[in-house]
């Protein structure tokens, strides 16, 4: 045992890169929603890529270390405190036996990541330690952390030489409360009228209280479907299609008034028309938005999405090298 | 715009962001289009192309998750278009399949309690889901509707929504297909193993949760076993596979309880038989072919 949960925070879960390759049985990947912050946390503490950490949502937990550890907090500006003393984010820190890590109120972003040298050691379920709370598997007992939980930390050896390493300021993201998410329009976008597609792309949407690891719902505009005689198997509503697969990051518009972006714990398929997909790099941006934040969607082509992806990979490699 | 149209009149190839390729073979559901989706995705699996992470056949479409750093979406799409042509109208295509006896109790107390609780979200608050579905499909009585519903077996055409949930399309001619709208507004609760129906599809809800399908009954046996305690789940936490044939068989409360008891003491195993499914025969004369399939399943039953 190495971490005792004194207070769990609003929603703190064990996550790694995710449970890939199981989409065809209806299993979403779960995993850290902001991949960049999560991975950089691992670089800071010298972990292998894919080591499990904690994803902390909106309101931080209070964690007592029962043995010394090397840690890092990345992601949202949710200022960490060690024994009540403010500590830096995006920097490798040392904690001693008995130290308590807590957090101040959220200043920007939405999700923080705690990386611990050695990784959070929960059982691997279907090649991942990520928590999928909907059916209660992976992570710590398949659920968010609760008061009194005790977490083990994997073997790390002496990593004290890493303490004080810090991510270059140029690489520390600033989180906007009105970001733009790049979207590749497609899937069943033919179901929306041209005018509604323009409305979708020109509206400043507001994140509703329904914004979690399953999906983010937005309000702010009304979209209409092209009238059609519904095809066999689709069901009567114009928003319905013959049930099909939903990519991660895909956007659907049930009822025309609430676009939903599907996230890491989402349903893998269903019968609502999807109109496009948030590009993979910008899922990190989405993960750092919260209720009442604004969001715009901008249509991009595949080339821009792949370029953004390449740029992100180069950036991560640079950070990793600088911290090595 | 990211959609890429093909020369085929109906298939739409589209990027699902940078990590998915989504192919809608047809807007309308039919057995034939599902056979095509399965044939194409089966061929794709055999090719074991590097960079492919998930291959997900669905009802009238399919989806492939890729690592675009390894496999460019356009290269995959080119190959998929070739596979589409190779598959053609699936003449001669066969499917290694299983026919499975799936007990289901119609009008059980649990889904009844649920559907009554959510009447305000339904098209017809004064009828049950089953009465409503029977009426709008032109059946004189509820029993006639149940007879049609359980009178012919079903093809598992897609797995998803949540782990293990099978979408099933009935192996009957198009004019006999049952069609029922989903709830006007989805329920916030559905019991585990509820037997539901929406659009043209029958499902067994693998876990408790939200849902918008009409509720007709409940299955005593699970389709998902996360702990893998039952024999049918030794290789996978999920029982159904695309291409399975499910014969939903009506059971009374007594048999329901008996199956539940066997599930509880971990001795339950689905009655099932492996067989080679011939889609062209099913399309040609579904009822005659269904008889043969069910003979495979129940033939040795005294």
């Amino acid at each position: 045992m190495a971490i005792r949960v004194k207070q769990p925070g609003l929603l703190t879960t064990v996550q790694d890169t995710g449970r890939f390759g199981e989409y065809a049985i209806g299993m979403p990947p779960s995993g850290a929603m902001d991949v960049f912050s999560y991975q950089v946390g691992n670089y800071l503490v010298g972990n292998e890529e894919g080591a499990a950490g904690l994803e902390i949502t909106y309101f931080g937990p209070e964690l007592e270390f029962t043995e010394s550890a090397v840690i890092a907090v990345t992601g949202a500006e949710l200022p960490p405190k060690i024994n009540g003393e403010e500590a830096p984010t995006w920097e490798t820190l040392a904690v001693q036996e008995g130290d308590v890590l807590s957090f101040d109120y959220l200043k920007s972003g939405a999700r923080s990541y705690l990386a611990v040298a050695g990784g959070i050691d929960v059982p691997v379920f279907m090649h991942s330690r990520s928590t999928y709370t909907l059916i209660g598997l992976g992570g710590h007992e398949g659920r968010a952390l609760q008061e009194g939980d005790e977490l083990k930390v994997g073997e790390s050896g002496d990593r004290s030489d890493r303490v004080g390493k810090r991510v270059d300021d140029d690489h520390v993201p600033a989180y906007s409360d009105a970001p733009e998410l790049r979207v590749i329009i497609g899937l069943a976008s033919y179901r929306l009228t041209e005018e509604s597609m323009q409305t979708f792309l020109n509206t400043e949407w507001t994140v509703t209280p329904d914004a979690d690891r399953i999906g983010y719902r937005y309000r702010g505009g009304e979209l209409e479907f092209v009238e059609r005689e519904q095809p066999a198997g689709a069901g009567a509503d114009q928003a319905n299609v013959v049930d099909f697969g939903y990519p991660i990051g895909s956007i659907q518009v049930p009822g025309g008034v609430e676009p939903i972006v599907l996230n890491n714990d989402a349903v893998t398929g269903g019968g609502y028309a999807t109109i496009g997909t948030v590009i993979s790099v910008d899922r990190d941006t989405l993960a750092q938005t919260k209720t009442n934040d604004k969001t715009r969607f901008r249509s991009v082509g595949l080339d821009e999405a792949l370029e953004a992806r390449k740029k992100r990979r180069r950036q991560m490699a640079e950070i990793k090298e600088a911290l090595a | 715009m990211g959609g890429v149209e093909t020369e085929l009149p109906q298939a739409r190839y589209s990027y699902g962001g940078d990590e998915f390729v989504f192919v809608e073979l047809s807007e309308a559901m039919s057995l034939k289009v599902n056979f095509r989706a399965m044939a194409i995705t089966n061929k794709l699996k055999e090719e074991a192309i590097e960079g492919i992470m998930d291959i997900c056949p669905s009802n009238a479409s399919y989806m492939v998750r890729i690592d675009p750093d390894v496999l460019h979406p356009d290269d995959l799409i080119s190959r998929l278009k070739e596979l589409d042509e190779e598959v053609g109208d699936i003449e001669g295509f066969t499917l290694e399949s299983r026919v499975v006896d799936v007990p289901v109790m119609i009008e059980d107390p649990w889904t009844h309690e649920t559907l009554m609780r959510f009447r305000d979200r339904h098209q017809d608050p004064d009828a049950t889901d089953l009465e409503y579905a029977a009426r709008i499909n032109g059946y004189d009585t509820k029993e006639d509707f149940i007879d049609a519903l359980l009178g012919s077996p079903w093809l598992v055409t897609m797995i998803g929504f949540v782990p293990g949930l099978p979408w099933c399309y009935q192996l009957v001619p198009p004019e006999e297909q049952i069609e029922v709208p989903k709830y006007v507004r989805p329920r916030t609760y559905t019991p585990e193993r509820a037997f539901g129906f929406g659009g043209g599809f029958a499902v067994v809800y693998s876990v408790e949760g939200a849902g918008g399908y009409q509720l007709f009954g409940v299955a005593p046996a699970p389709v998902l076993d996360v702990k893998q305690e039952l024999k049918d789940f030794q290789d996978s936490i999920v029982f159904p596979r695309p291409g399975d044939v499910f014969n939903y068989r009506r059971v009374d409360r007594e048999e329901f309880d008996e199956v539940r008891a066997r599930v509880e003491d971990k001795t339950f195993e689905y009655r099932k038989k492996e067989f080679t499914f011939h889609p062209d025969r099913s399309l040609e004369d579904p009822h005659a072919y269904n008889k043969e399939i069910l003979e495979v399943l129940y033939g040795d039953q005294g």
Side-chain angles (χ1 to χ4, degrees), chain B:
Chain B
M1 300 274 153
V4 186
E5 299 281 332
T6 67
E7 64 283 6
L8 288 168
Q10 287 191 307
R12 285 192 181 92
Y13 291 80
S14 168
Y15 310 124
D18 45 323
E19 294 183 339
F20 289 84
V21 166
F22 173 78
V23 184
E24 189 173 41
L25 294 173
S26 161
E27 288 179 36
M29 180 60 187
S30 65
L31 287 169
K32 186 162 186 167
V33 74
N34 184 256
F35 292 139
R36 294 192 75 242
M38 277 195 274
I40 294 166
T41 50
N42 280 353
K43 275 178 178 282
L44 186 64
K45 270 178 217 155
E46 282 166 22
E47 299 201 349
I49 299 169
E50 209 189 333
I52 289 182
M53 300 172 73
D54 292 284
I55 299 173
C56 314
S58 42
N59 296 315
S61 56
Y62 63 92
M63 194 166 77
V64 183
R65 184 171 191 175
I66 52 172
D67 178 350
D69 302 331
V70 180
L71 176 63
H72 193 285
D74 286 340
D75 294 337
L76 175 65
I77 289 174
S78 304
R79 184 67 195 123
L80 293 177
K81 287 180 178 173
E82 289 166 8
L83 288 178
D84 189 291
E85 277 193 29
E86 280 173 35
V87 164
D89 64 358
I90 57 133
E91 206 185 301
F93 163 68
T94 60
L95 195 63
E96 290 315 309
S97 171
R98 303 179 298 180
V99 54
V100 187
D101 175 76
V102 184
V104 54
M105 181 179 171
I106 301 296
E107 295 193 297
D108 64 289
W110 306 280
T111 58
H112 183 75
E113 192 276 329
T114 305
L115 68 93
M116 292 313 286
R117 183 144 50 101
F118 291 102
R119 244 33 235 150
D120 61 325
R121 294 168 190 243
H122 195 272
Q123 288 85 353
D124 186 351
D126 298 325
T128 65
D129 292 8
L130 199 60
E131 287 162 357
Y132 167 73
R135 192 182 73 236
I136 64 161
N137 278 279
Y139 288 90
D140 292 335
T141 68
K142 203 169 61 182
E143 285 303 317
D144 287 349
F145 177 72
I146 296 169
D147 286 348
L149 191 70
L150 304 185
S152 297
W154 300 72
L155 182 72
V156 175
T157 52
M158 174 174 173
I159 311 286
F161 184 61
V162 289
L165 182 144
W167 269 273
C168 303
Y169 202 66
Q170 202 164 24
L171 290 162
V172 295
E175 64 276 12
E176 292 175 35
Q177 290 288 348
I178 293 163
E179 185 112 8
V180 190
K182 297 154 196 168
Y183 271 44
V184 178
R185 287 180 298 130
R187 295 175 304 273
T188 54
Y189 170 80
T190 308
E192 185 186 329
R193 290 174 282 98
F195 177 60
F197 201 100
F201 299 95
V203 302
V204 175
Y205 282 89
S206 47
V207 288
E208 176 186 308
Y213 278 30
Q214 308 281 337
L215 295 177
F216 295 164
V218 69
V223 288
L224 172 74
D225 175 10
V226 175
K227 293 185 180 150
Q228 298 184 276
E229 290 173 329
L230 295 176
K231 195 163 177 241
D232 288 313
F233 297 83
Q234 274 170 9
D235 296 332
S236 170
I237 62 168
V238 159
F239 176 70
R241 299 177 200 152
D244 279 349
V245 173
F246 276 13
N247 189 53
Y248 288 111
R249 181 175 57 84
R250 190 175 189 175
V251 297
D252 57 16
R253 178 66 191 259
E254 194 184 342
E255 187 173 350
F256 178 91
D257 288 341
E258 189 189 295
V259 174
R260 280 307 301 157
R262 279 189 286 138
V263 171
E264 295 295 332
D265 69 17
K266 324 291 180 212
T267 58
F268 175 81
E269 195 180 336
Y270 280 104
R271 168 185 276 268
K272 59 193 177 300
K273 288 278 166 62
E274 291 181 2
F275 79 111
T276 303
F277 191 97
H278 293 268
D280 38 11
R281 293 191 57 202
S282 179
L283 291 171
E284 196 183 294
D285 188 350
H287 290 302
Y289 193 49
N290 288 342
K291 261 187 205 158
E292 272 183 51
I293 297 172
L294 295 179
E295 179 66 24
V296 170
L297 180 61
Y298 300 114
D300 57 0
Q301 203 176 33

